[in-house]
Amino acid sequence: MSLLSLPRSFFSLSLSSPSHAITSRRNRCFSCSLSVSKTSNATSPAILWFKQDLRLDDHPGLLQASKFPALLPLYVFDHRILSRYNDEKLELVLFALEDLRKSLKKQGSNLIIRFGNAENVIKELVLEVKATNVFAEVEVEYHLREIIHAVEETLVRMPSFDRSPEIVLWQTPFYDIKNLKDFPASYDEFEKLQLAVTSPLLPSRLPSAEMELDWGLLPTFDNLKKFVNESPSKLNESWALLKEMSSETILQKQLSKSGKVSLNNSNFKHTKRKRLDKSVFVTQKQNVVGGGTNSVLNALAAYLRYLEGTARDDWQEVHEKLRTAEIRDGASFFALFGPALCLGIISRRRVYYESIKYEKERNAGFLSPFGYSTATVSASADTVCSMEWYFLRLLKSQLSDGGAYPIRIWRWNGYLIQYTVVGNRGPAVLLVHGFGAFLEHFRDNISSISNDGNRVWAVTVLGFGKSEKPNVVYTELMWAELVRDFIIEVVGEPVHLMGNSIGGYFVALVAYFWPALAQSVVLINSAGDIIPAYTSPQFTKVRATSGATWLGARLLLFYLRLGLGSIVKNCYPTKTERVDDWLINEMLRASYDPGVLVVLESIFSFNLSLALNYLLEGFEGKVLIIQGMKDPITDSKSKVAMLKEHCPGVVIRELDAGHCPHDEKPEEVNSIISQWILTIESRVLSQACS
């Protein structure tokens, strides 16, 4: 696998996981220069494999591939990729590909359209045209990295070649970073480097595609949906319906049945209107920006110039959508442009360049050291810089094999989420951490529970640890839906749900809203109250931010950084030595991440009014409570007494521990959990046989 980057030394580490490396090729390819043509047949064509880089503008891979005498751009409708897209994203793909093909044809080229597994399609095309190089963008998401690895292995094993065709990975370098190994782990250390953002590339001049080929037809949306629905990666129909059932919708129905007022939904509301001729909102829902690169650039120009006003209908529409999507300061940018960025219709670097260009236009060519002059410039520039930071840090995590368990990346609603999985047999178990923690907080649980014959997943939810911390409104319902989607998309089967602290409340919500996903529920010093005689939802959804929450989050962050060690040790009353330097340093590191203040603001708007005893109804015999009785955050004796009185069928284990028994006394908790899973699974098996 060759690596293409600017500068050359950026990818001095392998971008494949170590277990996927092919040693004889890796040693040769990772030292190759930017100019891949030196190791290639000068008369052989190259293939440019588009995935989530659907543009010609600012495309380093296209620049290098265009140096070959012939270039064949390719898009593969691969069900393993498309099955992760919702209908709106599938529409965006089709619009972007239509524009991409038109742009290529203007330069005398074209876009090959194929259906199937990427490795099989690329193998057939390589054999047909005798290509020696396949260019593809670097990916951080696990399922895409696996597909790239499958392509690489297929090319290595191809017969009838003097030298195996080579896959050349490229990336758009946002910053001029010399070596990814030296990329700082902490954002405050990264800021000290004061790295400048590099300039975007203009579209390359392409060699003509004068070859007799079946270029393929773009499918209609209906045909594409049929292809996705017929694929082996398609979700079970009942599970697909679960993804469409939002927690809010379920609560609305419950409130309607009880005759109570519906939820006050302050989220992004979608309104339909007659489509404009030049609208940049191309999908049926008309909620997000789409089309080709020029369409997205037009929408970006309108977004940035919101304060100027306009007589243009298409720009007025952008301004109207901006106002609707601005559920908190700056949140409208990703809400409108996020899907286009994730599909690579426009690069993060181009967005930054256009934003700064406009800022300089407003200020006679100068940039103020005190911040941007408009909220829209701030929203766009800050968003893409934050996205790049998390991408690079998570990419670096994919290059190391020194951890106790493999780190994988999943994209949820456009955001990058860190997770791990250990074990290849037995029941599925999912661990969900508490507020301020991360999957590594289960450092001494994951492998032990797996060794007892289970497959164990642990996820760092949005806003924590090394997962992305975007500018969104964080709610317990949002986190519950993330856990739901993780089970459906990543695990793929019902799980034994286990959560600590607020993570326990998240898994209780999942069990209540989507019970088909839970085999059992284990709550470890869970958040949430026991409310006697609670019979119906009493829930309001008001999440407006205020000056008080803004100030409160900043004071809380200052307090946490100042005394984090003593605060955490207070939660480990019987084994304070478990609060080691690694745990404190990782929590401190995360506290400097971009977006952390937005997450902390959510503390002041948490709504835990859905009682635990109500959420756990219907799970009699399938709920285990592990309660540290020396928890400094809650009155454990009173809570256990309430659980016994108002939660029939719940099994309770009281431990001599604090708020985090799973990390304070992991051996004891692991034994309890493993025995619990064995009991539940035996019961399920006996019921199936009866």
Side-chain angles (χ1 to χ4, degrees), residues 247-492:
S247 52
E248 280 188 30
T249 300
I250 297 171
L251 279 175
Q252 290 265 13
K253 291 180 179 178
Q254 293 288 342
L255 290 167
S256 177
K257 287 179 182 178
S258 63
K260 297 185 178 179
V261 180
S262 295
L263 287 173
N264 176 19
N265 186 359
S266 61
N267 275 344
F268 182 8
K269 297 179 181 178
H270 306 309
T271 57
K272 278 224 157 183
R273 56 177 288 175
K274 184 178 179 181
R275 191 185 304 278
L276 300 174
D277 291 339
K278 296 182 180 180
S279 175
V280 296
F281 299 93
V282 295
T283 64
Q284 288 296 314
K285 290 184 177 180
Q286 302 179 47
N287 290 324
V288 295
V289 171
T293 301
N294 288 336
S295 174
V296 177
L297 282 170
N298 177 47
L300 178 61
Y303 182 89
L304 293 172
R305 291 161 177 80
Y306 173 71
L307 291 180
E308 296 181 10
T310 180
R312 291 177 52 173
D313 290 346
D314 56 338
W315 282 26
Q316 287 179 3
E317 184 182 28
V318 172
H319 294 171
E320 178 186 328
K321 300 288 187 180
L322 182 159
R323 289 189 290 270
T324 304
E326 192 78 351
I327 56 176
R328 56 167 293 117
D329 291 346
S332 59
F333 178 76
F334 193 86
L336 299 180
F337 292 88
L341 281 163
C342 292
L343 288 173
I345 301 171
I346 189 172
S347 70
R348 295 189 288 272
R349 185 165 65 173
R350 174 61 70 185
V351 169
Y352 184 85
Y353 175 84
E354 296 296 330
S355 300
I356 299 304
K357 178 182 174 183
Y358 174 64
E359 178 71 6
K360 288 181 177 179
E361 289 174 2
R362 284 178 55 85
N363 296 284
F366 294 98
L367 290 177
S368 170
F370 304 108
Y372 300 118
S373 63
T374 73
T376 52
V377 171
S378 178
S380 57
D382 290 349
T383 297
V384 294
C385 286
S386 176
M387 290 174 71
E388 185 70 14
W389 156 257
Y390 286 106
F391 173 84
L392 290 175
R393 191 177 64 187
L394 291 172
L395 181 62
K396 182 181 178 181
S397 74
Q398 303 299 287
L399 311 183
S400 171
D401 60 344
Y405 25 75
I407 296 300
R408 298 177 179 179
I409 308 302
W410 168 59
R411 190 179 292 276
W412 180 73
N413 288 357
Y415 308 117
L416 298 175
I417 305 295
Q418 181 191 51
Y419 75 97
T420 189
V421 56
V422 176
N424 52 25
R425 62 182 179 86
V429 180
L430 175 58
L431 307 177
V432 182
H433 60 82
F435 199 93
F438 27 79
L439 71 83
E440 293 91 346
H441 199 207
F442 296 105
R443 51 188 167 171
D444 293 323
N445 311 111
I446 295 171
S447 295
S448 178
I449 297 173
S450 171
N451 291 338
D452 286 334
N454 303 293
R455 290 168 296 140
V456 181
W457 280 262
V459 60
T460 301
V461 300
L462 194 73
F464 298 103
K466 293 177 182 174
S467 289
E468 209 163 338
K469 300 171 183 64
N471 185 12
V472 298
V473 176
Y474 292 88
T475 72
E476 63 290 334
L477 298 181
M478 178 271 288
W479 277 308
E481 290 179 357
L482 182 151
V483 174
R484 172 202 65 190
D485 292 349
F486 184 84
I487 298 170
I488 292 173
E489 292 187 14
V490 180
V491 181

Side-chain angles (χ1 to χ4, degrees), residues 3 5 10-11 13-17 137-141 145 148 169-172 177 180-181 183 348 387-401 407-409 416 418 466:
L3 299 175
S5 60
F10 183 85
F11 288 111
L13 291 171
S14 165
L15 289 173
S16 290
S17 59
E137 186 178 22
V138 169
E139 301 289 355
V140 70
E141 298 163 66
R145 291 170 64 81
I148 291 174
L169 295 181
W170 63 270
Q171 188 204 352
T172 304
I177 298 174
L180 194 56
K181 285 193 295 185
F183 188 75
R348 295 189 288 272
M387 290 174 71
E388 185 70 14
W389 156 257
Y390 286 106
F391 173 84
L392 290 175
R393 191 177 64 187
L394 291 172
L395 181 62
K396 182 181 178 181
S397 74
Q398 303 299 287
L399 311 183
S400 171
D401 60 344
I407 296 300
R408 298 177 179 179
I409 308 302
L416 298 175
Q418 181 191 51
K466 293 177 182 174

Side-chain angles (χ1 to χ4, degrees), residues 433-437 464 479 500-503 556 587 599-600 602-603 606:
H433 60 82
F435 199 93
F464 298 103
W479 277 308
N500 170 236
S501 189
I502 193 67
L556 178 59
M587 288 182 171
V599 183
L600 287 178
S602 67
I603 290 179
F606 273 159

